[in-house]
Amino acid sequence: MLRISKLNAWYGASHALQDISMEVSKGEIVCLIGRNGAGKTTTLKSIMGLMDRIRGSAIFKGKELLDQPAHARFALGLAYVPEERRIVQGLSVRENLRLGLVASPQKKRESELIDEIAQIFPRLAERLDQEAVTMSGGEQQMLAIARAMIGKPDLIMLDEPSEGIMPVLVDEMFALFRSMKTQGTTVLLVEQNVELALDIADRAYVLDQGAVVHHASAQELLADSEIKERYCSV
């Protein structure tokens, strides 16, 4: 579904990504692991079209992404949940969900899709008319994921979804990711809890200083004592 080839990105003079190559197949959960500053978030932002200076290739469903603006990539079926969540202040949960459909081909089914997403996220169903920013951090994270999911993307990229969230909500969230995979949604995941991410993933790429230094099945990486020592405590 997604093939990245020799992807390079810069922040000013800093060469943040160096010839990143990876693949994500339909129905997989693939995770990116590495220490802070390794280039994980930059990889997701580059794929989504949120970096000013990039070079290389990103083929999504047979189409080159790098010559497309971010909103066109979204329309192709690519969704991104950033680490910052970006819940819009002053809007209710329902109104934030509606924002996920503004540029979506699914916009005409808005009411139906909000009902569907409320069934998937029962915590949100109870709060549809509540101002979104008054919810807990974990509930806001669920809203950010729901807002990305409501347009039924083919691939959803998640950046550190468990950060700062109480364990009970993290468990709910990762159960949701398993369910998403079962239903055919493809996931590219950046997650600070490496063991938890590898437990649900099919494969993983290890990034270090802007380059892919290792790639293996999730189970192989979980069994690799050197990888666990170096990255699972991050």
Side-chain angles (χ1 to χ4, degrees):
M1 179 173 285
L2 177 68
R3 178 179 289 113
I4 308 299
S5 301
K6 296 186 178 299
L7 184 64
N8 289 263
W10 289 263
Y11 291 103
S14 176
H15 196 175
L17 297 183
Q18 302 172 33
D19 288 335
I20 296 284
S21 293
M22 63 179 64
E23 295 183 357
V24 182
S25 297
K26 181 177 174 58
E28 282 192 308
I29 295 179
V30 174
C31 65
L32 306 182
I33 63 175
R35 294 186 177 277
N36 290 336
K40 306 183 299 297
T41 293
T42 303
T43 299
L44 299 190
K45 290 173 69 175
S46 297
I47 295 168
M48 196 66 222
L50 303 176
M51 292 290 293
D52 291 332
R53 188 180 169 204
I54 55 176
R55 186 181 69 211
S57 177
I59 305 295
F60 178 59
K61 298 195 303 185
K63 296 183 178 181
E64 176 60 65
L65 292 179
L66 297 194
D67 58 1
Q68 301 283 335
H71 66 85
R73 303 182 197 200
F74 174 75
L76 285 172
L78 184 65
Y80 173 46
V81 181
E83 187 176 356
E84 303 88 358
R85 301 173 192 154
R86 298 185 184 173
I87 302 305
V88 180
Q89 189 168 2
L91 297 185
S92 68
V93 170
R94 187 190 306 276
E95 289 165 335
N96 268 273
L97 288 172
R98 292 176 64 192
L99 291 177
L101 292 168
V102 167
S104 171
Q106 305 281 344
K107 184 173 174 57
K108 293 181 180 179
R109 301 175 55 216
E110 181 180 288
S111 296
E112 176 188 349
L113 291 172
I114 289 176
D115 288 343
E116 284 183 17
I117 214 76
Q119 291 178 14
I120 297 169
F121 295 87
R123 287 177 182 268
L124 299 183
E126 300 167 359
R127 297 164 171 78
L128 285 175
D129 297 315
Q130 179 177 333
E131 185 177 355
V133 295
T134 64
M135 298 193 300
S136 72
E139 289 162 348
Q140 289 186 42
Q141 182 66 67
M142 287 188 170
L143 174 57
I145 295 168
R147 187 175 57 193
M149 286 177 59
I150 196 168
K152 298 189 178 298
D154 297 301
L155 190 155
I156 185 167
M157 300 188 294
L158 302 166
D159 194 357
E160 303 284 12
S162 77
E163 185 174 13
I165 296 175
M166 65 180 70
V168 64
L169 288 182
V170 172
D171 290 343
E172 285 186 29
M173 203 173 293
F174 276 75
L176 169 67
F177 299 157
R178 290 182 188 273
S179 175
M180 288 163 57
K181 178 185 174 183
T182 301
Q183 294 169 16
T185 301
T186 307
V187 178
L188 181 57
L189 172 66
V190 168
E191 172 53 50
Q192 61 180 346
N193 190 328
V194 173
E195 289 189 89
L196 190 58
L198 291 176
D199 188 53
I200 67 166
D202 296 287
R203 296 183 296 111
Y205 291 86
V206 182
L207 274 62
D208 197 355
Q209 297 184 352
V212 173
V213 295
H214 195 54
H215 165 234
S217 73
Q219 292 308 307
E220 285 180 80
L221 290 173
L222 274 173
D224 188 321
S225 58
E226 182 180 349
I227 291 290
K228 290 181 72 172
E229 180 180 352
R230 184 172 298 177
Y231 299 107
C232 289
S233 60
V234 175

